[in-house]
Amino acid sequence: MPIVEGDRCTFLYQGEASEVHLVHQIFGLPGRIPLRRLHGTDLWYLVLELPDGSRIEYQLEVSRDGRSERINDPLNPRLAHSPLGSSSVCYARGYEVPGWALPDPESRPGSLTGLTVPSRALRRTCRVTLYLPARFRRAARYPLLIVHDGGDYLQYAAAKTVLDNLIHRLDVAETIVAFVYPGDRLTEYANSAAHARYLTAELLPRLEEELPLARVPSARCLMGASFGAVASLSAAFRYPGVFGSLLLQSGSFVFTDIGHDHGGGPAFEPVVRFVNRYRAAPRHVADQVFVSCGVYEPLIVRNRSMVPTFEAAGMTVRYVEARDGHSWENWRDRLQAGLSWIFPGPQKFYYE
């Protein structure tokens, strides 16, 4: 389950209940859609029409004896995971997990090592996980990718597997990747001057001191999803020209064109002020910007709106959207398009 027949996806639940709802986060549909009970049985069903290529995460809300419980679909073995827990997944007709997102015994594995960076800017010791490509050599000069929410990209978006495969298949250049971890995420990633200073004045010099990196902007990229995308743009805004590329996924680019009701809550206040200011006076902060977003997430309108803003600043933009939501597997599925555009293989950067 669900049963997929053309664009019709049939969800089922079997069990005694007073009500059963499909709970999801598909922008444009009611958040809770009732299942109907087949008369005289304990079988509940819902037929939902989903466009080709759709991927949605959902749960079932089962009500009985005046109480409601949200559960993963007991008839569906597919699960998606995130820091908030797990959800069931429906693959509509035409969706497939990309082959490069799955373990491939033919791909030579890169290595992961830990690093700690004392930060005066953030007033804490910062954890970093470094990815070195399988054929790493000190005689080379490598591009650098810095990834916000690094632990989540590794755990929930299969980032190491993706890098191993894309580099092995020559889709992406051999790249050194620094996966960074936030402290207070909603503070550090919401247009924080301290976080931007940490990235550019503390982390980057440390990495360039210890690793054979190509020390030019064109070989540096900042990447992040949701608030991590805001942090990437904010850091590039505060230090324009340091990073040649940005990879922004489902950015929380909340803004207001009129009034002050942005709907995001207090955590978004510094984000809204930053995005409003940037939209009013776009600045060239990087040469290339890759933007991706899911059409089923509320942020789709915000991300579409940022594309002409970036272009107005003279930056080259590639924009990709998918029939998916605000989820780690959506962001995983867009990595090939983003990374192969920013650091295309099989070129090898700056050999001595």
Side-chain angles (χ1 to χ4, degrees):
M1 301 298 171
I3 301 170
V4 178
E5 301 168 296
D7 63 354
R8 295 163 61 88
C9 298
T10 302
F11 299 82
L12 297 176
Y13 175 76
Q14 187 170 23
E16 287 299 328
S18 56
E19 291 181 316
V20 181
H21 288 82
L22 183 80
V23 181
H24 63 86
Q25 293 182 332
I26 305 174
F27 181 62
L29 293 181
R32 297 168 66 253
I33 303 177
L35 277 68
R36 299 180 62 182
R37 187 170 187 162
L38 194 63
H39 183 69
T41 75
D42 62 353
L43 187 64
W44 302 74
Y45 70 95
L46 167 67
V47 179
L48 195 62
E49 293 186 2
L50 293 174
D52 287 359
S54 295
R55 177 193 167 280
I56 67 166
E57 299 181 10
Y58 70 95
Q59 288 188 308
L60 297 175
E61 184 179 86
V62 181
S63 301
R64 59 172 73 90
D65 300 326
R67 294 178 295 178
S68 296
E69 178 187 18
R70 291 190 179 182
I71 61 172
N72 291 331
D73 187 343
L75 300 176
N76 182 358
R78 293 190 179 115
L79 292 175
H81 302 278
S82 79
L84 301 178
S86 63
S87 299
S88 297
V89 188
C90 173
Y91 297 167
R93 179 178 62 184
Y95 174 82
E96 294 183 4
V97 177
W100 45 261
L102 301 172
D104 182 353
E106 298 296 320
S107 297
R108 293 181 60 177
S111 62
L112 296 177
T113 59
L115 178 71
T116 57
V117 180
S119 171
R120 295 182 62 184
L122 293 175
R123 299 181 181 179
R124 66 180 178 89
T125 298
C126 298
R127 177 186 171 198
V128 179
T129 298
L130 290 177
Y131 171 88
L132 303 180
R135 297 173 179 85
F136 174 76
R137 290 182 291 176
R138 288 281 171 184
R141 287 293 178 264
Y142 293 93
L144 172 67
L145 174 67
I146 298 178
V147 180
H148 289 91
D149 294 309
D152 292 339
Y153 265 102
L154 287 167
Q155 183 171 356
Y156 304 117
K160 182 181 183 299
T161 296
V162 169
L163 289 166
D164 288 343
N165 289 339
L166 294 182
I167 292 172
H168 174 77
R169 299 178 187 203
L170 305 182
D171 287 345
V172 174
E174 296 178 3
T175 303
I176 292 175
V177 185
F179 294 94
V180 300
Y181 297 73
D184 182 346
R185 182 176 184 272
L186 295 183
T187 298
E188 291 182 3
Y189 285 6
N191 187 33
S192 163
H195 177 71
R197 189 163 61 253
Y198 159 66
L199 291 178
T200 56
E202 296 176 334
L203 176 62
L204 181 59
R206 171 76 178 274
L207 296 176
E208 290 186 337
E209 177 185 348
E210 298 188 9
L211 295 165
L213 294 170
R215 302 186 181 191
V216 293
S218 61
R220 301 186 192 119
C221 177
L222 277 179
M223 169 177 151
S226 194
F227 258 56
V230 175
S232 299
L233 178 61
S234 170
F237 180 85
R238 292 175 182 276
Y239 295 87
V242 173
F243 298 94
S245 301
L246 303 176
L247 200 162
L248 312 176
Q249 299 194 283
S250 301
S252 298
F253 300 127
V254 177
F255 57 84
T256 54
D257 283 323
I258 187 170
H260 303 285
D261 185 13
H262 52 76
F268 279 84
E269 288 292 340
V271 174
V272 172
R273 290 193 296 270
F274 167 62
V275 178
N276 281 352
R277 186 168 67 252
Y278 187 84
R279 282 168 52 83
R283 177 187 296 180
H284 187 287
V285 299
D287 294 327
Q288 299 184 109
V289 183
F290 179 89
V291 181
S292 72
C293 195
V295 298
Y296 298 150
E297 51 183 308
L299 289 166
I300 184 63
V301 175
R302 316 285 190 171
N303 279 262
R304 286 172 177 166
S305 298
M306 293 301 291
V307 172
T309 302
F310 293 144
E311 291 175 335
M315 298 186 288
T316 301
V317 181
R318 178 163 293 189
Y319 175 68
V320 173
E321 57 186 42
R323 289 170 173 158
D324 208 327
H326 198 77
S327 69
W328 285 101
E329 292 186 11
N330 174 22
W331 302 330
R332 175 201 67 191
D333 290 358
R334 313 281 85 78
L335 289 177
Q336 191 272 349
L339 293 176
S340 66
W341 182 64
I342 289 172
F343 293 145
Q347 69 189 73
K348 294 182 170 54
F349 275 69
Y350 307 99
Y351 282 88
E352 288 185 341

